[in-house]
Amino acid sequence: MQDHEPTCPRCKTNAYVRLKDRAGEYTCKKCATVVQRGIISEDAEWREFKDSDRRGGDPNRVGQKEDEGAILSTRVGRTDIGMNLSTRGVYSTEERKAERLLRANVEIRDLARKLHLKQRHAQFVIEMYKRVFDVREATDVKEGNEVKMRKDFNGPSVEALIGACFYWAAKKTQVARSIKDISAKLTNITHRELKTAIKRILKHKHYVLGPMKVEFKVTQPSQIVKRKAHQLKLSDNIGHEAAKIAEAVMLTGCMEGKPPDTIAGACLLIALEGHEGVKINSELLQAAFDAKRKTLEGRAREIKASGISDYRAALKILASKPKKKK
């Protein structure tokens, strides 16, 4: 047995890693990852307490002392009748399924944080993946559409299916994330694998997405930038110009899949270029939009390349927007 607990590959620490003696495996209590299997316990199988043990060192014994030259024997018999499987370190199918689903949920919440999505979006993805998971793990499917779904969902990896669920969940809640952005956060799959999984979810969208109801409203970049400009003590005129630029950006779709906060920050930088006397501290800007200034400047360059170079250009695009009929 090891002297120290192994490090969890997900949490990057062994502070939460504990040994399950009966199962013979190291498990992380924080993220439920099984770090290492097949551990042999060196603890005593039983203990004997005699008068001589009190005067000795460690009274632990592994087995009974055998005479030299004696033939070792093993007693064979059904001595575990009536014992629960879990008490013998053997997990049932349902327990293993629950463990796999728990690991997937941990991965979903981790990916939501990397994609700058809120926990309510992660919960939406958890519900979607649960439906996919139920089909993948089903054993009594014999015919019909469920057979096709099980075949389609068993093809891609778990990580690819989670990424695909994020793609459709973000798109349905109007905070779309591009395939490129999602695949960049998933290290164990290729761009092609993610696209395949997205197509499989689309093929069965009525089952995966049909019963889901989105009960939260998405904050638009134009609303974010107005609020942040006020927090940064900028004039209402600058906030108004930045909001119009953000509206034009969303209308053209040139920043589809990008986090709303970074779009709002980039639009504010473009609006500030028309006010030469106004400057803003980089640290305050980064804190307000939760992104580095270089990232916001990069987004601003992309917006300008799409034809929205300033406030006037944004107004022209908004003016060309067809008016809704009453």
Side-chain angles (χ1 to χ4, degrees):
M1 194 167 63
Q2 299 179 9
D3 294 335
H4 303 285
E5 288 78 6
T7 302
C8 175
R10 186 181 296 277
C11 301
K12 309 298 182 185
T13 180
N14 63 353
Y16 306 100
V17 177
R18 299 290 182 271
L19 174 63
K20 290 184 178 179
D21 291 329
R22 296 183 184 276
E25 60 188 22
Y26 280 105
T27 305
C28 181
K29 296 294 183 181
K30 185 176 182 181
C31 66
T33 300
V34 177
V35 181
Q36 190 174 346
R37 298 181 187 272
I39 306 300
I40 300 175
S41 176
E42 296 178 358
D43 292 340
E45 188 174 356
W46 66 75
R47 299 179 67 177
E48 292 184 7
F49 294 93
K50 296 181 179 178
D51 294 338
S52 58
D53 289 334
R54 297 177 183 175
R55 295 189 297 271
D58 184 9
N60 291 347
R61 295 192 179 95
V62 180
Q64 193 174 13
K65 183 178 179 181
E66 297 284 348
D67 297 331
E68 293 184 5
I71 300 176
L72 299 178
S73 61
T74 303
R75 185 177 180 179
V76 179
R78 297 182 63 186
T79 58
D80 59 347
I81 296 176
M83 289 180 64
N84 192 307
L85 289 175
S86 61
T87 63
R88 290 183 283 138
V90 180
Y91 290 97
S92 66
T93 303
E94 292 300 321
E95 287 174 329
R96 291 191 180 278
K97 284 172 63 175
E99 185 180 358
R100 287 195 292 272
L101 186 60
L102 177 61
R103 291 181 197 171
N105 291 347
V106 171
E107 190 170 344
I108 287 169
R109 296 190 183 281
D110 185 49
L111 184 57
R113 187 173 62 255
K114 291 179 180 178
L115 292 171
H116 302 285
L117 294 172
K118 298 184 181 298
Q119 286 304 312
R120 55 190 179 184
H121 295 96
Q123 188 59 41
F124 186 41
V125 175
I126 286 173
E127 293 177 19
M128 288 178 60
Y129 180 75
K130 176 64 167 59
R131 298 181 69 81
V132 175
F133 179 82
D134 289 342
V135 174
R136 279 171 61 97
E137 299 290 333
T139 56
D140 56 348
V141 178
K142 295 181 179 179
E143 58 183 11
N145 190 44
E146 290 185 2
V147 176
K148 295 179 181 179
M149 281 198 296
R150 189 171 188 271
K151 184 178 179 181
D152 287 339
F153 292 156
N154 273 316
S157 65
V158 171
E159 197 171 12
L161 287 170
I162 288 174
C165 288
F166 264 104
Y167 176 83
W168 289 115
K171 194 165 187 176
K172 188 170 182 178
T173 55
Q174 301 177 22
V175 287
R177 296 293 186 267
S178 65
I179 296 175
K180 183 179 178 182
D181 287 343
I182 295 174
S183 61
K185 305 300 181 183
L186 299 172
T187 56
N188 297 326
I189 65 169
T190 62
H191 189 81
R192 185 176 180 180
E193 287 176 317
L194 179 59
K195 289 183 71 174
T196 300
I198 289 172
K199 290 178 181 178
R200 300 283 173 88
I201 297 292
L202 177 62
K203 186 178 178 181
H204 304 288
K205 65 179 181 180
H206 295 294
Y207 171 77
V208 181
L209 286 166
M212 304 298 176
K213 292 183 179 180
V214 183
E215 299 179 351
F216 50 89
K217 189 177 180 181
V218 179
T219 306
Q220 297 296 330
S222 57
Q223 297 172 319
I224 295 173
V225 75
K226 273 187 176 181
R227 186 172 68 252
K228 298 297 183 181
H230 179 72
Q231 290 177 4
L232 294 169
K233 298 181 180 180
L234 297 172
S235 66
D236 292 340
N237 188 30
I238 294 175
H240 173 74
E241 291 180 7
K244 290 297 180 182
I245 294 171
E247 288 179 19
V249 169
M250 298 306 292
L251 182 63
T252 58
C254 62
M255 288 285 104
E256 184 179 1
K258 305 301 181 185
D261 285 343
T262 60
I263 297 174
C267 293
L268 182 62
L269 288 178
I270 294 173
L272 285 171
E273 290 178 1
H275 301 266
E276 296 181 358
V278 181
K279 293 183 180 180
I280 187 170
N281 183 276
S282 295
E283 292 181 1
L284 293 176
L285 183 69
Q286 291 175 184
F289 295 99
D290 193 24
K292 294 182 178 179
R293 182 161 191 145
K294 288 184 178 180
T295 302
L296 299 179
E297 289 174 348
R299 294 278 188 269
R301 287 193 293 270
E302 292 179 36
I303 293 172
K304 289 180 182 179
S306 68
I308 309 174
S309 57
D310 54 17
Y311 173 60
R312 291 182 180 179
L315 290 179
K316 288 181 181 179
I317 291 173
L318 293 173
S320 64
K321 178 183 178 181
K323 298 181 179 180
K324 293 182 180 180
K325 295 181 180 180
K326 294 183 180 179

